[in-house]
């Protein structure tokens, strides 16, 4: 991926402690709940740069060097608006 000085995307997350899970989500398998998990909170790519592998590169790099065995993505699903 070529380097640029403009911000075209970002991602971040945090550790969910062993034994914890999202309050409003379907419970995971026991082994996942019992382990520490990387919670991906944001994954954003500017519209002109979507479809070029930027999001994939960000999500591949985010867990690098981290100790968590599992990851989860916090997502909000919204209906598509007409005209988009």
């Amino acid at each position: 991926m070529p380097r640029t000085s403009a911000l075209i995307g970002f991602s971040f997350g945090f550790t969910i402690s062993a034994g914890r899970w999202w309050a409003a989500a379907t419970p995971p398998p026991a082994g996942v709940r019992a382990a520490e998990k990387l919670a991906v909170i944001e994954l954003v790519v500017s519209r002109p740069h979507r479809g070029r592998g930027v999001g994939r590169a960000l999500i591949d790099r985010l867990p690098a060097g981290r100790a968590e065995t599992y990851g989860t993505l916090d997502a909000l699903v919204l209906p598509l608006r007409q005209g988009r």
Side-chain angles (χ1 to χ4, degrees):
M1 190 168 14
R3 302 265 181 211
T4 178
S5 60
L7 179 65
I8 60 173
F10 68 92
S11 62
F12 70 88
F14 61 83
T15 300
I16 296 178
S17 302
R20 307 288 307 245
W21 190 247
W22 301 107
T26 302
V32 174
R33 186 175 188 120
E36 289 189 335
K37 296 142 300 272
L38 170 60
V40 179
I41 302 302
E42 292 286 346
L43 175 62
V44 178
V45 177
S46 67
R47 202 171 293 246
H49 294 92
R50 293 178 188 168
R52 298 181 183 181
V54 175
R56 169 54 106 186
L58 289 168
I59 204 70
D60 284 348
R61 289 185 176 113
L62 184 60
R66 298 187 62 104
E68 297 92 352
T69 306
Y70 299 99
T72 180
L73 176 64
D74 181 31
L76 176 61
V77 179
L78 300 173
L80 291 176
R81 293 185 299 187
Q82 295 294 329
R84 279 185 79 180

